[in-house]
């Protein structure tokens, strides 16, 4: 078995946190010099500035109008989706439940995706009927929703659909009649509250009990909330956890081994490929949202994420990958505990198609000029990407999708000298860096069934569940042009 390098120390590579200093670094359209400067709020945040900037929307609109491939095909998939129709009517709930009796989370995620898809269609076509539909969905939910509940899966609902909802709201920011302030309050009080609490306390379990995807969906929600609410402390909370958190979703635990040749072993690949690729999609979304706010998580720790993305893509494309045994420690203090050592990759759901690869491919290959051969191959396999409603129920709504339309970009390499180092996500404002919201345990508060739900989609109790694992193969990540500064 090939030797591996462990990198568990939460030290920060001095090149890791970057702040882009020009719109060319943020959007990369045509040539770097031609990119339009994004709008910045008084606090220095970019709006729109989550998964998409205004320059991204301008590119999409121009390319679709011109009938340019592959944008035309990407938009056609969007336009044909039932959720992307301006006739969609919202069905808001006061309480959303995921896991246990009364589960109704599907009602939420169908409306979330309808809001996002209609907002995207408006930005591409200018048709206000779609803007009105998106606005009305967002307003209906912010007027009614008060909680997300259920067993431990409530954290999945809060994280996934909180960050997705925030992205729809960010697109609609400033549109006539959109109740932004009310939506921001709902996002903080209902979604962010659960996600931040999960990162801080892990539902009363040992910090290692939950898989990496649980942390990532919570990080995504915290980060998106910070951007929508112009709250730099929340942005820093998410970025700090991603870099140095104690759970399985912080980047050095998410990718615990770097193999010779530069392939990064993904922590969840031994479990199954459905949750592994869920994590890839979430990590890509986190990195893109951070990038659009001037923070380079894509390049953090010598592009550790790229090494992990290539590892997952290679395995799921049918190739062998290297593997170093990894031990999962699970349980809760005073309740139960155990461990399992994973020794081989899981074939479960291997080769699953999710609309997650275009953003990753276009960042590393077209924006940064790096080689990513397996990511490139996977993106081509899924192209043109669809979104919620194109991949079945449940997990088919785990990602917003439509990356062929939204993320395809001409090569416009961001020069290594363009970004400059930043001490933290808030270094340019002097805002104190938030503490590491990763630690400790907390009493379960009477929710005795919570720890049994350790995965999306009805995974059985950890104590009774057999866990699969990961396997071997080596690649080199070759850089084209200037060395990545991240």
């Amino acid at each position: 078995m090939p030797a591996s390098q462990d990198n568990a120390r939460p030290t920060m590579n001095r090149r890791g946190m970057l702040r882009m200093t020009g719109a060319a670094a943020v959007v990369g359209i045509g040539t770097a010099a031609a990119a339009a400067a994004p709008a910045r709020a008084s606090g220095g945040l970019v709006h729109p500035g989550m998964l998409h900037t205004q320059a991204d929307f301008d590119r999409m609109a121009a390319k679709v109008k011109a009938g340019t491939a592959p944008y035309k095909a990407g938009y056609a998939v969007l336009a044909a989706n039932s959720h992307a129709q301006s006739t969609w009517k919202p069905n808001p709930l006061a309480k959303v439940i995921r896991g246990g009796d009364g589960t109704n989370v599907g009602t939420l995620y169908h409306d979330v995706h309808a809001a996002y898809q209609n907002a995207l269609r408006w930005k591409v076509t200018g048709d206000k009927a779609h803007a009105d539909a998106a606005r009305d969905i967002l307003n209906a939910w912010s007027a009614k929703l008060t909680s997300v509940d259920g067993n431990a899966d409530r954290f999945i609902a809060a994280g996934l659909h909180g960050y997705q909802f925030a992205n729809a709201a960010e697109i609609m920011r400033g549109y006539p009649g959109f109740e932004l302030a009310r939506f921001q309050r709902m996002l903080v009080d209902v979604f962010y509250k659960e996600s931040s609490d999960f990162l801080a306390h892990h539902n009363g379990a040992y910090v290692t009990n939950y898989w990496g995807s649980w942390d990532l969906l919570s990080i995504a929600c915290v980060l998106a909330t910070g951007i929508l609410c112009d709250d730099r402390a929340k942005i820093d909370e998410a970025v700090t956890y991603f870099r140095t958190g104690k759970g399985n979703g912080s980047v050095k635990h998410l990718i615990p081994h770097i193999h010779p040749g530069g392939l990064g072993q993904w922590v969840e690949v031994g479990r199954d490929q459905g949750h592994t690729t869920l994590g890839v999609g979430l990590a890509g979304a986190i990195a893109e949202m951070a990038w659009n706010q001037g923070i380079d998580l894509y390049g953090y720790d010598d592009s550790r994420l790229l090494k992990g993305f290539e590892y997952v893509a290679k395995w799921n494309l049918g190739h062998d990958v290297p593997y170093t045994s990894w031990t999962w420690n699970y349980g809760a203090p005073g309740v139960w505990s155990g461990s399992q050592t994973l020794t081989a990759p899981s074939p479960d759901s291997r080769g699953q198609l999710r609309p997650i690869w275009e953003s990753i491919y276009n960042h590393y290959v077209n924006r940064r000029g790096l080689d990513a051969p397996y990511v490139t191959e996977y993106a081509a396999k899924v192209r043109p990407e669809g979104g919620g409603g194109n991949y079945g129920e449940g997990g088919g709504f785990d990602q917003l999708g439509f990356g062929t339309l939204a993320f395809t970009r001409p090569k416009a390499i961001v020069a290594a000298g363009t970004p400059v180092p930043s001490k933290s996500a808030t270094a340019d404002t002097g805002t104190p860096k938030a503490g590491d919201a990763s630690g400790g345990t907390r009493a379960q508060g009477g929710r005795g069934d919570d720890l049994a739900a350790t995965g999306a989609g009805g995974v059985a109790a950890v104590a009774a569940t057999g866990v699969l694992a990961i396997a071997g193969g080596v690649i080199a990540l070759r850089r084209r042009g200037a060395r990545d500064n991240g």
Side-chain angles (χ1 to χ4, degrees):
M1 185 174 296
S4 300
Q5 174 187 352
D6 265 329
N7 250 333
R9 293 178 299 165
T11 56
M12 179 179 176
N13 185 311
R14 65 182 182 86
R15 300 176 300 154
M17 189 60 64
L18 304 177
R19 183 172 59 120
M20 277 70 73
T21 57
V26 179
V27 295
I29 298 174
T31 64
R40 290 188 178 273
S42 58
L45 299 186
V46 176
H47 294 300
M50 284 192 209
L51 289 176
H52 321 296
T53 66
Q54 186 56 46
D56 294 329
F57 293 128
D58 292 343
R59 180 185 66 245
M60 293 179 225
K63 296 294 187 181
V64 170
K65 184 177 181 180
T68 305
Y71 303 90
K72 181 180 178 181
Y75 180 75
V77 177
L78 171 64
N81 194 301
S82 64
H83 297 75
Q85 309 311 309
S86 62
T87 53
W88 188 278
K89 300 301 180 186
N91 186 19
L93 302 170
K95 178 187 287 189
V96 167
I97 299 172
R98 173 164 177 160
D101 295 337
T103 293
N104 60 5
V105 69
T107 302
L108 170 64
Y109 64 64
H110 282 287
D111 274 4
V112 169
H113 284 257
Y116 173 76
Q117 292 178 28
N118 272 283
L120 195 56
R121 285 194 74 180
W122 166 56
K123 282 292 190 178
V124 172
T125 67
D127 186 344
K128 290 186 177 179
H130 292 291
D132 290 348
R135 175 199 62 200
D136 293 347
I137 295 167
L138 298 171
N139 283 348
W141 279 88
S142 68
K144 190 166 185 178
L145 183 65
T146 59
S147 65
V148 173
D149 208 342
N151 60 22
D153 278 8
R154 70 190 183 277
F155 296 113
I156 299 175
L160 279 179
H161 308 309
Y163 104 82
Q164 293 171 348
F165 231 168
N167 268 274
E170 177 74 357
I171 298 173
M172 299 308 301
R173 179 188 289 270
Y175 188 75
F178 174 42
E179 299 284 352
L180 175 62
R182 189 174 74 197
F183 191 93
Q184 289 170 324
R185 287 193 296 272
M186 177 199 69
L187 187 65
V188 171
D189 294 345
V190 176
F191 295 96
Y192 165 80
K193 178 184 72 173
E194 298 291 345
S195 293
S196 180
D197 183 75
F198 181 82
L199 293 178
H201 305 292
H202 284 82
N203 198 32
Y206 294 116
V207 71
T208 56
N209 179 74
Y210 289 94
W211 296 95
S213 55
W214 286 73
D215 277 359
L216 290 172
L217 56 88
S218 298
I219 293 168
C221 181
V222 171
L223 177 59
T225 302
I227 295 169
L228 188 72
C229 297
D230 287 301
D231 189 331
R232 285 183 169 271
K234 289 180 175 59
I235 293 172
D236 215 33
E237 177 186 353
V239 170
T240 299
Y241 193 95
F242 177 86
R243 293 188 287 116
T244 61
K246 294 182 174 64
N248 286 324
S250 67
V251 68
K252 292 185 181 181
H253 298 144
L254 185 69
I255 305 167
H257 304 288
I258 304 299
H259 293 277
L263 208 61
Q265 182 173 312
W266 198 273
V267 70
E268 210 155 354
V269 77
R271 178 189 185 190
D272 62 64
Q273 302 317 303
H275 289 96
T276 295
T277 52
L278 166 63
V280 166
L282 288 164
I286 290 164
E288 186 67 17
M289 290 190 290
W291 177 273
N292 285 332
Q293 294 300 331
I295 305 161
D296 189 4
L297 300 182
Y298 282 116
Y300 178 69
D301 193 30
D302 195 27
S303 296
R304 195 177 190 94
L305 275 180
L306 174 56
K307 296 167 186 175
F309 294 151
E310 282 284 274
Y311 181 99
V312 174
K314 185 176 182 180
W315 172 249
N316 279 275
L317 285 167
H319 305 288
D320 289 338
V321 290
Y323 182 73
T324 295
S325 295
W326 180 82
T327 298
W328 176 39
N329 296 299
Y330 51 78
V335 181
W336 50 269
S337 64
S339 66
Q340 223 164 354
T341 298
L342 313 181
T343 60
S346 171
D348 188 355
S349 300
R350 191 179 187 187
Q352 183 176 90
L353 299 183
R354 284 181 183 260
I356 58 176
W357 298 100
E358 290 279 35
S359 63
I360 296 167
Y361 160 73
N362 276 281
H363 174 79
Y364 287 112
V365 176
N366 287 341
R367 186 190 269 155
R368 296 300 281 147
L370 305 180
D371 277 348
Y374 297 107
V375 165
T376 298
E377 184 178 346
Y378 223 135
K381 185 176 181 178
V382 184
R383 187 177 299 131
E385 287 183 356
N390 293 119
Y391 300 91
E393 197 64 20
F397 291 83
D398 286 347
Q399 48 280 311
L400 290 170
F402 303 106
T404 304
L405 168 66
F407 300 113
T408 299
R409 63 185 69 247
K411 281 186 167 54
I413 308 307
V414 177
T418 301
V420 296
S422 174
K423 292 182 181 178
S424 78
T426 58
D428 58 334
T429 65
T431 305
K433 187 171 76 173
D436 177 10
S438 64
T441 58
R442 192 178 62 166
Q444 287 181 254
R447 294 178 180 268
D449 62 328
D450 281 0
L451 290 170
T454 57
V459 175
V462 238
T465 301
V467 182
L468 302 173
I470 321 183
V474 179
I475 64 163
L477 300 180
R478 300 172 300 281
R479 299 180 184 273
R480 287 199 298 267
R483 179 174 176 83
D484 182 7
N485 217 31

